[in-house]
Amino acid sequence: MGDHKEQQPARVGAAVRRRRRALELTLAVVAERTGLSVPFLSQVENDKARPSHTSLEKLADALRTTAVELLAAADPAASVDVVRAENAAEADFAPRTRSLVRGHHQLHASEYTGDHDAGREFQHRNDELMYVADGAVEIEAEGRAYRLGRGDTLYLTGGVRHRWRATVPDTRIIVVAVAEHIEAVQDRTR
């Protein structure tokens, strides 16, 4: 098995829906601007119909963007992407960051090895999970310090200010976060 990325054609429907909602437009308004029917637009947004190049251009104009931008923001229909580990001989254990997911997706995942600027504060728009793969870290969030060791996780909801530092050499943490371009639904009623 080789390293490869298998992918089907992009699904532009979610990108069209996100853009339409960001502009606070109804399907009826977009239909009026494009000359396309509401049922067809609904099918496009639900990936039950694929717009022709001409229809995509009309949609882009109505949504004050370009067809290229809509395609760039499209979700892949299905994909498999393998990101291989670094060669142990090449690893020098210097502090570094490695992306575990390539491209524009709904999740971001990164691996941090060693220490970094412990004074740097982070605040992400969406939720994230920090997992200690090796070593130990201290994370300051919401005015409290949390000590985590190998195998521990810390979940942070969007908007929580935090900073972290490795407390032992060769610490590795994995951070998985909802991508910044995703408008996560916030249900804080629980």
Side-chain angles (χ1 to χ4, degrees):
M1 289 196 276
D3 292 359
H4 62 286
K5 187 167 186 171
E6 296 177 12
Q7 189 165 316
Q8 296 175 356
R11 298 181 304 184
V12 74
V16 169
R17 182 184 313 108
R18 282 191 299 268
R19 181 69 181 168
R20 177 180 63 79
R21 287 181 177 169
L23 295 172
E24 299 180 352
L25 299 175
T26 64
L27 281 174
V29 169
V30 175
E32 184 179 310
R33 289 181 180 180
T34 61
L36 303 170
S37 72
V38 170
F40 175 71
L41 292 173
S42 177
Q43 288 179 338
V44 167
E45 284 192 1
N46 290 298
D47 290 313
K48 295 187 188 306
R50 292 183 56 185
S52 66
H53 180 71
T54 302
S55 294
L56 188 60
E57 290 288 340
K58 289 179 182 180
L59 273 168
D61 289 344
L63 298 173
R64 290 184 256 153
T65 188
T66 65
V68 171
E69 288 295 320
L70 286 174
L71 289 170
D75 295 334
S79 67
V80 175
D81 190 14
V82 175
V83 178
R84 297 284 179 196
E86 295 176 351
N87 184 341
E90 295 171 5
D92 59 2
F93 297 106
R96 67 185 177 284
T97 303
R98 180 172 75 101
S99 181
L100 302 176
V101 178
R102 290 184 278 234
H104 188 74
H105 298 285
Q106 294 182 10
L107 288 178
H108 286 288
S110 298
E111 175 186 59
Y112 297 88
T113 303
D115 211 347
H116 73 288
D117 179 4
R120 182 174 177 205
E121 186 174 72
F122 299 92
Q123 182 179 25
H124 302 284
R125 175 179 172 185
N126 293 317
D127 297 0
E128 71 179 87
L129 175 86
M130 300 176 83
Y131 170 75
V132 181
D134 287 307
V137 296
E138 185 175 88
I139 301 168
E140 182 184 319
E142 294 294 304
R144 291 187 57 197
Y146 301 88
R147 288 189 165 94
L148 287 90
R150 185 171 185 234
D152 292 341
T153 62
L154 180 78
Y155 185 87
L156 301 161
T157 58
V160 172
R161 291 180 186 277
H162 60 285
R163 70 183 88 220
W164 67 273
R165 67 181 186 87
T167 57
V168 299
D170 301 332
T171 292
R172 265 188 334 123
I173 69 167
I174 309 296
V175 177
V176 179
V178 175
E180 292 292 317
H181 71 278
I182 301 296
E183 184 66 41
V185 177
Q186 294 196 2
D187 181 9
R188 304 283 190 236
T189 58
R190 294 187 226 175

